[in-house]
Structures are given as C-alpha cells and as structure tokens.
Amino acid sequence: MRQWNSRKRMVCFFVLSIIFLGAVTVAGYLFREKALVIDFSRKNLPPCFSYPFGTDWLGRDMFARTMTGLSMSIRIGLLAAAVSACLAFLLGVMGAVMGKIADGFVTGLIDLVMGIPHILLLVLISFALGKGFKGVVIGISLTHWTSLARLIRGEVLQLKESQYIKIAQKLGQGKVNIAVKHMMPHLMPQLLVGLVLLFPHAILHEAGITFLGFGLSPEQPAVGIILSESMKYLAMGSWWLALFPGLFLAAVVLLFHLTGDILGRLMDPGRIHQ
C-alpha cells in the first residue's frame, strides 16, 4: 500500500508539473501582444493588484513579458532537446552497432564536443548562424547530445551481449533490423528520460547566451533579454524587474528536472524504493 501511495504521488506531481508547464506555454501565446504594449503613464510601477509583477521603464506589463519569455524558452527547450535527443540516439546506436570505424568516429566526435566548454561552443555556433531563434536552437541541439549519446552507446553495447541478440544475429538478421526491432524498445525509456532532462539545460543555456547578447534579438520578450535589461535599473530600486522573471525561470528549470527524475522512477520499478 505504501509503495502504491508513493507511486501515486509521483504520478500526480508529474501530471501537475506538465499542466503547469503547459499553462505557462499557452499563457505566453495569449499575452504576446500585451507584452509589447508601451504606456509611459504607468512606467516603473511596483507590483500591485493591476500589475502583479509591476511595469518596466517603458510601462510594459512585466507579468505579460515574463509569461511570454518563459513560453518562448519552453518552446526553444522542447525543440532543441528533441533534436539533440534524436541526434544522440542515432549516433549512439550507430557507434555501438556499425563496427569499430563508426564507433571510433562517434567516440572521437563526443570527446571533441565535450572537450570544448558548452557555453563557448554554443555562442560560436549561434553567432555564426546569425543568432536569433534558429541560431539558438541549432546551437543548443549541436552541443547537448554528447552525454545522452554516450549513455545510449553503453546500453547498446550491453544489449549486444544479450542471448536473444546473438540468436537474432545467427538467424541472419541485419544490424539495422536488430537495432530497430530488438534494441529500440529497451532504449526508449533512456531516450525519453534523457529527452526530458535535456530541457532544463537547454532553457538555461538559451537564457544565458541571450543575457550575454548572443541569443535572441532584443525586441523579443525573452527571459534572458528581460534580465539583461533589468540590470541597469536595479540600482534605481526597480527590484521587481529581475526578481519575478528570475524566480519563474528557476521554477520552470526545477520542474523540468524533477519531472525527468520522476519519469525515470516511474519507468524503473526498482527505483520506487529510493
């Protein structure tokens, strides 16, 4: 009964986290136009009933801007993490299945990418592609696949020693057929959990390079831009410009991390006791 209650609580928290993240994403779409409205008659208002997150130096509603920025960060994180996870899966399986030459190429590529600091490589790729939405997504996708690819490669190497894989090889099945039909069902939990855990890294790095000026364009209400612009007004007492966007960004990142951990526990019944 205790195990069932523990598992049930994890499922409820997982569902509530997904609902919250979905609500933030939808709210960003609904408040997109409102986030761009400039009204000098209400500039630099502290948090109040009409404006829960206050307003900035141009009279823009900080609640609408925060929701819009978080929605954009979530969409960038989802897209970049999905591309990165697919890349990690393909390279990890190829390295473990397609022979020593392919394995050497994949492991060398993993070591090369991991040998360069994440943020530096991300900034270089984003800047080379003209920054903006496309540059950020491609940059994150090309820099966050290595750890998951190494994990999947290790799982495939273990599966290759399984008895049923050896029997399938003796029956004449090809490498691609074995990978798709016999290995992929065992790899899907690791891929799904790895996909979810890539989200917080993608969101943080998107906000980081945008804060530094190498990400999204300044006219977009992204969280990194909001935090960057608010720095010059903190000394003037406008603390709400950075506090609420920063807290909500941390909350979204933490929720993604906890959601990935819970998903891993739900897919591995042995971890329910932890």
Side-chain angles (χ1 to χ4, degrees):
M1 186 67 179
R2 185 178 299 174
Q3 293 180 8
W4 165 246
N5 289 336
S6 178
R7 195 172 185 84
K8 189 175 182 179
R9 285 195 297 270
M10 286 198 301
V11 172
C12 290
F13 184 82
F14 178 79
V15 173
L16 290 176
S17 299
I18 296 299
I19 292 175
F20 174 78
L21 294 171
V24 171
T25 305
V26 173
Y29 276 107
L30 298 178
F31 289 117
R32 184 169 181 82
E33 296 297 328
K34 187 177 180 181
L36 301 175
V37 175
I38 297 175
D39 187 352
F40 290 103
S41 65
R42 62 183 189 186
K43 66 178 182 177
N44 294 323
L45 292 178
C48 57
F49 181 77
S50 300
Y51 305 102
F53 290 4
T55 62
D56 63 5
W57 60 97
L58 293 176
R60 294 173 296 190
D61 188 349
M62 287 302 297
F63 177 78
R65 287 177 62 78
T66 300
M67 291 298 105
T68 304
L70 287 174
S71 175
M72 182 174 297
S73 295
I74 291 174
R75 285 183 280 124
I76 289 176
L78 288 172
L79 180 58
V83 175
S84 186
C86 292
L87 186 62
F89 181 80
L90 292 175
L91 290 175
V93 172
M94 184 182 75
V97 173
M98 303 303 292
K100 292 183 179 181
I101 297 178
D103 189 33
F105 171 77
V106 172
T107 54
L109 188 60
I110 291 175
D111 293 338
L112 176 63
V113 175
M114 295 187 73
I116 305 174
H118 251 36
I119 193 69
L120 176 60
L121 185 58
L122 178 54
V123 166
L124 291 175
I125 295 175
S126 176
F127 186 78
L129 295 175
K131 302 187 290 186
F133 186 89
K134 181 183 72 173
V136 172
V137 170
I138 295 177
I140 295 174
S141 302
L142 295 179
T143 56
H144 286 69
W145 59 271
T146 51
S147 298
L148 182 57
R150 180 172 287 179
L151 174 65
I152 291 177
R153 174 181 172 274
E155 291 288 334
V156 174
L157 290 176
Q158 290 184 355
L159 287 174
K160 286 176 65 177
E161 301 301 322
S162 302
Q163 194 66 29
Y164 74 99
I165 297 294
K166 294 181 178 180
I167 292 174
Q169 291 173 346
K170 292 181 179 180
L171 291 175
Q173 295 190 23
K175 294 180 179 180
V176 176
N177 189 42
I178 292 175
V180 173
K181 288 187 176 181
H182 301 292
M183 293 184 178
M184 189 173 291
H186 295 274
L187 298 174
M188 289 308 297
Q190 288 85 352
L191 177 63
L192 187 58
V193 174
L195 173 65
V196 175
L197 291 177
L198 281 173
F199 292 160
H201 293 279
I203 291 174
L204 280 177
H205 281 106
E206 176 271 321
I209 65 170
T210 300
F211 180 85
L212 295 174
F214 297 99
L216 300 176
S217 55
E219 65 270 10
Q220 293 177 309
V223 176
I225 292 171
I226 294 173
L227 294 176
S228 177
E229 292 177 344
S230 67
M231 292 297 101
K232 64 184 75 171
Y233 294 93
L234 289 179
M236 301 170 59
S238 300
W239 50 268
W240 58 87
L241 298 180
L243 177 63
F244 295 112
L247 286 178
F248 267 71
L249 177 63
V252 168
V253 171
L254 182 61
L255 271 180
F256 268 124
H257 180 75
L258 293 177
T259 300
D261 184 67
I262 290 174
L263 186 61
R265 290 172 179 264
L266 293 175
M267 290 187 169
D268 184 5
R271 296 182 61 190
I272 194 66
H273 302 288
Q274 298 179 2

